[in-house]
Structures are given as structure tokens and as C-alpha cells.
Amino acid sequence: MQFGSIEAGGTKFVCAVGDEQHNLIDKMTFPTTDPEPTFQRTIDYFRQFPDIDAISISSFGPIEIRPEAPNYGYVTNTPKPNWSNVDFLGTIKAALNVPIYWTTDVNGSAYGEFKVEEAAHSNIKSLAYYTIGTGVGAGFVLNGQFLGDQGHPEMGHVRLKRHPHDLDFKGICPFHGDCLEGLVAGPTFEARLGQKGQDVPFDNEVWEIMAYYIAQAALQVTLMLRPGKIVFGGGVTSERFLEVVRRHFNSLMNNYLDVGDLQDYLTLPRVPDNGSATLGNFYLAESLYNQLQES
Amino acid sequence: MQFGSIEAGGTKFVCAVGDEQHNLIDKMTFPTTDPEPTFQRTIDYFRQFPDIDAISISSFGPIEIRPEAPNYGYVTNTPKPNWSNVDFLGTIKAALNVPIYWTTDVNGSAYGEFKVEEAAHSNIKSLAYYTIGTGVGAGFVLNGQFLGDQGHPEMGHVRLKRHPHDLDFKGICPFHGDCLEGLVAGPTFEARLGQKGQDVPFDNEVWEIMAYYIAQAALQVTLMLRPGKIVFGGGVTSERFLEVVRRHFNSLMNNYLDVGDLQDYLTLPRVPDNGSATLGNFYLAESLYNQLQES
């Protein structure tokens, strides 16, 4: 058995093929340009693997995930130029004659992390995955299913209590200004300090401010969904940074709920090399394949 | 068939009996005093109805809802005097020989609203119910199930962006100060203005401030769960006030997601006379009964 993964990010696509143990057989990464050439590279890549049994796409968004919607499978109102109202799923389906699963990039990552967590200790039932990078978003797995009724979650756009030393920063979200994404996405470093995040020393108070906001996001998802675990991926995160997030989380929670050991509750991804979504896709493709066999 | 409802609030208990069409047969309300006499009145009430097939309790909290927990069925660390670590479910079960369902007060209300919504238009799949009263909390129904893995949601304790004209108010939550509950629960009127909410004229800016916070809560639950509908109950809400909440919600959302007509999306309860939880309990008791018959 072989399963395919398309991790479609706003800056790059990662296409990969895995075996039935979900081990990587092959992988190719290329920049996200306009839809047509990007889809063509994706299709050309998978045509090299005619034995693939199913593929899963986890895409940047917003995307339409409701099967009953007329534009199911589309990237919808994204600010990314030329990508609004693009039929992603339909284009790939028309070219490759295999079953294809369709979800968000962060759902794919959440699923990959959920499956390795499940393998490590089998009693996990729910997991949130936040990416803090160029954009901010989150996926959520509950009992093996994704959350979202009228669409997928958009957890990056919640509002937060502003840090007292950050009240003048307007935020960079084109829709909301100072929502979570507008306050902590990677490009906020340039907006606040005129330098890239990787160049900002860790004793700069901006890291404290960012951690305060991300801790509030973790608190929100804890209070609203009571998950088993919250994973943070994306370029802004690191173990040292997460330590600061945990400290703020603890102080915001003020012993109100017991979430267990914070070292296990708020963590970096378990899957190495940004591979969470690829692994998640292998599992999702497998699960789609099995479902179709049964029906 | 007869089903029983125990709506256990922090200030009063409402015990009721319904028929198999979920119509009210009988109801009794009494103040919540210490656990022992309150449970005794509850038990005495239901002993008048020996034909009851199942009961559902929806209780103030926090409560333990995980069946595998050693203190399943308990009210846990509530600030309400004498009610911490009290075996609510066990006490009622030991006295009344019927199956008993156990959930939170707001889940009971959410379920009642979900069922009437389902009857009114059958395509509803998820619904949030917020109570804004002495305390603030929310229940959530998704495909007929309640949310919450490591425990029930505690949506009243999220943090919010503070209103610029309200920055000096510390909030009244004993755990968190200015969380949602600390900013909009009924007693915040006395804390901010020295007078009861019912005496505060509607042109006082406090109503704008409250609406701004409640709109943020609605925005959070929308972005995190994409529900079909959000219902607001509790003493603070009214149709006139909800109009202001809708205006703030609209401006915070800034056309980012389509939630349909806000008049249908953010509403008062459909069930009249604060009856949402009682109706929800009748349905939950019925559902428990049917489940036991099948197994």
C-alpha cells in the first residue's frame, strides 16, 4: 500500500509518498506560485507513483470543507493573490484517479500529532495543534474527528487581553488588526522592531509579550474544549519560548483547572522536521481508503 | 412514560416531571441551601412520582463528568460554601431507583435549545448556549453530543480585549479578575456603578461595554467551533441588549466569516420561561432511558 500527502502551504508545497507503515518513501518540496503551475507540479509528481491508493491534501485556507457546499474543495477568500475561489480538490481529482481526502493544513498537522501521541500513550482523546508562523491557525482532533460545523475553525483570529506594555501596537492582521494572528505571527517582529524574529535576542520583552498572547490562546482552547494536549508548531516556537508560554498559562489559569503537567500539556510537535502534516496526511489517506473499502 | 428534570442552580433548584412528549406535568422550585436539605427536598419531590422512567440532572459547577473519575457525579471546587466535593449524583441515585443522566446546567440548556431548534429546522448540527447571569458559562452541543474531553467547558473564564473606556475596572472573578465572567456577570453592575443591573438605564455606556465583551465571547466560539447558532440566556440578556451585541460582533468579525443572518445566529432562548434546561433534561433522560433499553 502507498499513500500520498499534499501539504499545501502559502509559501511552499510539500508532496510526499508513504508506505503502509506511514514511513516516508519520497518527498518533494517546491514554492507555491500561481495555482495552475503549482497544481501541475503536484500532479506531475504523483504521476510518478501510479500505485498510490489514496491521497490526503491539507491546505492553507480558508477552504471549503463542507461536502454539501457547491464550492467544496475550493480555496475561498484568501488574501493570497490569485488563490481566491480556486478549485484545488477538483483539479487534483480530475488529473489523478485516486480517492482524495481534503482538510486544512493545521488539521493535517493536528492529526499527525494525534496519531503519534496515541501510539505513545493510548488514552489521548483530543489534541489542538497551533501553528505560529507567517500566519496563525489551529486544528483540533476530537476522538479521531475534526471540529467545525459551518466550516473549519479559524482560531487565529480571536481577540485577546492586550499586554500592558504593548497597547500601542495596532497588530498586522488585514482583517482584524490586533487579533491573535495580528499580534503574534512571524511578521509582527518586523512590524514591532524592524527586524526579523530570528534576529531578536531572547531578552527582548517582545518575547514575553508574544508568550502572554499565546498563553491566552492556549487558555481559550483549554476552557472551551478541555483537550488532552496542545501542540505548538511554526517558526516562532521553540522549547525555550514555550517555557515562557507555560509560565504565563499557569499564571492566567491560577489553579482554576487541572491540566496535568504543563511540560506534557503544552509542547512542541513530536514529529520531527515539520513532518506533522505529512504524517497526518498518510493516516488520513489510509483512513479514507479503508472507509471506501468498507462501503 | 415520565421523565424527571433536576436543574440545580447556585441559587435555586427546579425539579420537574414531563411526559413522553416532553410536556411539563409538574414543577417545583426551591432555594439552594446546604447540600443535605437541598438533596432531601429533591428526593422527597421525586418520590411523589414513582412511575418516572429516568431523570437528568443539570447542575451548577464545576462538576466531574468523566465516568472513569473516582469522584464522577460530584460538585468539585465550587466557591459556593459547603458545596465543594459533594456527591450530588450518588446521593440522588442511592435514594431514587431510576437511571440518572448527569451534566452541567448550561449543557442542559444547550440541549433543550438544540432540540427545539432541530424541530424548527432540521439541519442544525451544533449550538452554543451562554448564560449571562450571576455567573457566566456556556454549554455546547455538537451532533447531539456535549463537548469536553478532560472535563466540561468553562467558557466563562476566557480573557478578552478590554474596552478602552473600561480599562480601570478590575473585574470580579475570584480566580481571574477580568475574565469574561469577571467583566459581565450580573454583579458587575454593582461593582462598576453601585446599583443593580435592572436599575441601570440602557443609555449608560456600561451596556455598550458589556455587549462588546459578550460579542467577543460569541466571536471566540464562532472562530473555534463554527457553530450553527449561539443562544444567550440569563438575567443580563434581552432582545434590546442582543441588538448591541450583534452590532459589536459584526464589527469585530469584519466580514471575515459568513455566519448567515445575525438575527438568527445570535438569539435569546426559544424555550420560554427559562425552561431550556428543564426541556433539555427531559430529552436527556429519555435518551438515557432509550440507550439502556437498547443495551
Side-chain angles (χ1 to χ4, degrees):
Chain A
M1 308 271 309
Q2 287 185 350
F3 302 110
S5 164
I6 303 172
E7 183 189 359
T11 52
K12 66 173 198 272
F13 268 49
V14 182
C15 295
V17 179
D19 65 18
E20 65 186 75
Q21 274 79 50
H22 319 101
N23 294 314
L24 198 67
I25 295 173
D26 193 76
K27 187 170 101 166
M28 185 173 72
T29 301
F30 49 89
T32 309
T33 57
D34 275 351
E36 206 202 305
T38 310
F39 291 152
Q40 196 54 55
R41 285 189 85 159
T42 304
I43 291 161
D44 292 343
Y45 175 77
F46 284 105
R47 283 194 171 138
Q48 303 173 86
F49 303 92
D51 297 335
I52 279 180
D53 297 284
I55 291 175
S56 172
I57 304 174
S58 55
S59 176
F60 73 101
I63 64 175
E64 183 52 78
I65 56 157
R66 292 171 296 176
E68 71 277 14
N71 60 338
Y72 173 66
Y74 278 58
V75 177
T76 58
N77 60 334
T78 176
K80 190 171 170 66
N82 304 324
W83 279 84
S84 276
N85 295 313
V86 164
D87 185 7
F88 191 155
L89 177 62
T91 306
I92 306 296
K93 257 195 172 157
L96 302 171
N97 188 28
V98 287
I100 305 183
Y101 189 83
W102 169 248
T103 192
T104 64
D105 48 4
V106 280
N107 271 349
S109 296
Y111 204 74
E113 289 295 319
F114 181 77
K115 295 309 278 188
V116 290
E117 197 64 30
E118 204 177 42
H121 68 103
S122 62
N123 62 346
I124 184 113
K125 281 177 289 187
S126 64
L127 181 145
Y129 178 97
Y130 278 87
T131 182
I132 319 280
T134 314
V136 175
F140 200 95
V141 181
L142 174 60
N143 298 321
Q145 308 286 314
F146 296 122
L147 273 191
D149 165 0
Q150 297 302 303
H152 57 77
E154 286 281 354
M155 303 200 196
H157 297 273
V158 292
R159 301 307 202 282
L160 303 163
K161 184 177 178 185
R162 296 297 303 271
H163 190 285
H165 298 175
D166 190 50
L167 294 177
D168 292 336
F169 180 58
K170 301 282 178 215
I172 62 164
C173 173
F175 296 99
H176 312 113
D178 66 347
C179 64
L180 174 63
E181 178 170 298
L183 291 172
V184 306
T188 58
F189 285 105
E190 285 97 315
R192 280 197 183 90
L193 304 169
Q195 57 184 146
K196 287 194 182 299
Q198 68 225 44
D199 301 327
V200 177
F202 205 69
D203 59 5
N204 189 307
E205 199 198 7
V206 158
W207 287 106
E208 275 288 326
I209 291 169
M210 304 266 289
Y212 176 67
Y213 294 138
I214 294 169
Q216 282 188 59
L219 185 76
Q220 281 183 8
V221 79
T222 300
L223 293 168
M224 299 185 91
L225 290 159
R226 306 294 301 272
K229 192 180 176 77
I230 307 173
V231 177
F232 294 92
V236 171
T237 54
S238 66
E239 186 50 41
R240 187 168 65 161
F241 178 60
L242 267 197
E243 259 314 303
V244 191
V245 173
R246 291 187 192 109
R247 171 163 50 76
H248 282 289
F249 181 90
N250 217 16
S251 133
L252 288 162
M253 180 64 91
N254 196 21
N255 294 314
Y256 188 66
L257 297 177
D258 178 15
V259 296
D261 186 343
L262 275 191
Q263 300 285 336
D264 299 326
Y265 184 62
L266 306 178
T267 73
L268 292 178
R270 270 183 190 263
V271 183
D273 305 326
N274 299 316
S276 313
T278 298
L279 183 66
N281 277 332
F282 291 159
Y283 275 103
L284 288 165
E286 179 186 37
S287 158
L288 173 64
Y289 177 83
N290 290 338
Q291 224 177 294
L292 294 171
Q293 292 301 104
E294 282 161 24
S295 65
Chain B
M1 308 269 311
Q2 286 187 350
F3 302 110
S5 164
I6 303 172
E7 183 188 359
T11 52
K12 66 173 197 274
F13 268 48
V14 181
C15 295
V17 178
D19 65 20
E20 65 187 74
Q21 274 79 46
H22 320 100
N23 294 313
L24 198 67
I25 296 173
D26 193 77
K27 187 170 102 164
M28 185 174 73
T29 301
F30 49 87
T32 309
T33 58
D34 277 351
E36 207 203 306
T38 310
F39 291 153
Q40 196 54 55
R41 286 189 83 162
T42 305
I43 291 160
D44 291 345
Y45 174 77
F46 283 105
R47 283 195 171 137
Q48 303 172 86
F49 303 92
D51 297 333
I52 279 180
D53 297 286
I55 291 174
S56 172
I57 303 173
S58 55
S59 176
F60 73 100
I63 64 174
E64 182 53 77
I65 56 157
R66 292 172 296 177
E68 70 277 14
N71 60 338
Y72 172 66
Y74 279 57
V75 177
T76 59
N77 61 334
T78 176
K80 190 172 169 65
N82 304 324
W83 279 84
S84 278
N85 294 313
V86 163
D87 185 7
F88 190 154
L89 177 61
T91 306
I92 306 295
K93 258 197 172 153
L96 302 171
N97 189 29
V98 287
I100 304 184
Y101 189 83
W102 169 249
T103 192
T104 62
D105 46 5
V106 278
N107 271 348
S109 296
Y111 204 74
E113 289 295 319
F114 180 77
K115 294 310 275 187
V116 290
E117 198 64 28
E118 203 175 42
H121 67 103
S122 62
N123 62 346
I124 184 115
K125 283 178 287 188
S126 64
L127 180 146
Y129 178 97
Y130 278 86
T131 181
I132 319 281
T134 314
V136 175
F140 200 95
V141 182
L142 174 60
N143 297 323
Q145 308 286 314
F146 296 122
L147 273 190
D149 165 1
Q150 298 301 304
H152 58 77
E154 285 281 355
M155 302 199 195
H157 298 273
V158 292
R159 300 309 201 281
L160 304 163
K161 184 177 178 187
R162 296 297 303 270
H163 190 285
H165 298 176
D166 190 51
L167 294 176
D168 292 336
F169 180 58
K170 300 284 179 213
I172 62 165
C173 173
F175 295 98
H176 311 114
D178 66 347
C179 64
L180 175 64
E181 177 169 299
L183 291 172
V184 305
T188 57
F189 285 104
E190 285 97 315
R192 280 198 182 89
L193 304 170
Q195 57 183 146
K196 286 194 184 300
Q198 68 224 48
D199 302 328
V200 177
F202 204 68
D203 59 4
N204 191 305
E205 198 197 5
V206 159
W207 287 106
E208 275 289 326
I209 292 168
M210 304 266 290
Y212 177 67
Y213 294 138
I214 293 168
Q216 282 188 58
L219 186 77
Q220 282 182 7
V221 81
T222 299
L223 293 167
M224 300 184 90
L225 290 158
R226 307 291 304 270
K229 193 182 174 74
I230 307 174
V231 177
F232 294 91
V236 171
T237 53
S238 66
E239 186 51 42
R240 188 167 67 162
F241 178 60
L242 267 197
E243 259 314 303
V244 190
V245 173
R246 290 187 194 109
R247 170 162 51 76
H248 282 289
F249 180 90
N250 217 15
S251 134
L252 287 161
M253 180 64 90
N254 197 21
N255 294 316
Y256 188 67
L257 297 177
D258 178 14
V259 296
D261 186 344
L262 275 190
Q263 301 285 337
D264 298 327
Y265 185 62
L266 306 179
T267 72
L268 292 178
R270 268 184 191 263
V271 183
D273 305 326
N274 298 315
S276 313
T278 297
L279 183 67
N281 278 331
F282 291 159
Y283 275 103
L284 289 164
E286 180 187 35
S287 157
L288 173 65
Y289 176 82
N290 290 338
Q291 224 177 296
L292 294 171
Q293 291 302 104
E294 283 161 22
S295 67

